[in-house]
Amino acid sequence: MSALRRAAVLGSPINHSLSPVLHRTAYAVLGLEDWAYDRFDLDEAALPGFFQQLDSAWAGLSLTMPLKRAVIPLLDEISETAASVDAVNTVVFTEDGRRTGDNTDIPGIVAALREHGVEKVESAAILGAGATASSALAALARICSGEVAVYVRSEARAAEMRGWAERLDVEVRIANWSDAEEALHAPLVVATTPAGATDALAAAVPERPATLFDVLYDPWPTALAARWSAHGGAVVSGLDLLLHQAVLQVEQMTRRAPAPLAAMRVAGERALRAARK
């Protein structure tokens, strides 16, 4: 048997991460019996020390908050995609020992939308302006030909999104959260807010909504997603995003493609059902 290959997800908190389930399922389907995928609860202060003790058995790392920016100084290079939003969620260790960083959230959003039949839109709306909103904006830069309206609660968040828009060359209109019901009439609505933040908007879902991408997956469905589906609109979930970004991570770390999306989806859905019991 060849030497054990290792990968893991890092972040804090990390106990409820679905990444181990998704990656281990992929390894099983791909026949990678000598691969292991773990989780480590780490904050920014502990990250450099963790990197120092990694050996040649390590193939890659998945990174979640709060490490997506903290990891950048520890890497030899990062992709243009990661650099566009100053966020790395994937680290691959090359055979010559280099540490390369990428962001699979952005193409993961694009792939999740494509799977649901959304390849191009003339305009879009983003609810919220937190960490996920910049990745959503970067994804929209690839598929939206017109204006992106961003609904925010504070001027500080508004300023951040204006900065990302300029950097990503996206036409953005900043709007106040008090007018967020307007967003629901867009051809594509991306909700990037924490659990419960959009519940009050559910009653305002139009009779014939288009597509909602809600980045949450637990609890699911959100009140907004449930009402959207009830009105016949297309809904893309945070699990869709998690799956597609994980598929890209598996392919980069193992150098095997395609990763088994269908099997990973079944495993992820089963794990979520078990967690909710």
Side-chain angles (χ1 to χ4, degrees), residues 140-216:
L140 291 174
R142 302 184 179 191
I143 67 169
C144 183
S145 59
E147 178 185 84
V148 178
V150 182
Y151 292 80
V152 302
R153 294 183 184 274
S154 70
E155 180 53 40
R157 293 293 195 186
E160 289 180 8
M161 291 307 291
R162 289 190 189 98
W164 287 120
E166 183 175 351
R167 183 169 179 173
L168 295 164
D169 194 24
V170 180
E171 180 187 351
V172 158
R173 175 174 61 85
I174 303 296
N176 192 282
W177 184 263
S178 61
D179 297 320
E181 291 183 3
E182 298 174 353
L184 309 185
H185 297 273
L188 171 62
V189 181
V190 185
T192 68
T193 50
T198 62
D199 287 0
L201 298 176
V205 172
E207 289 187 8
R208 295 185 178 181
T211 300
L212 170 69
F213 194 153
D214 195 324
V215 302
L216 295 173

Side-chain angles (χ1 to χ4, degrees), residues 18 22 239 243 264-274 276:
L18 285 178
L22 302 181
L239 181 59
L243 283 165
M264 293 166 70
R265 186 189 305 278
V266 169
E269 291 174 344
R270 183 184 300 122
L272 277 178
R273 286 195 298 270
R276 290 167 184 158

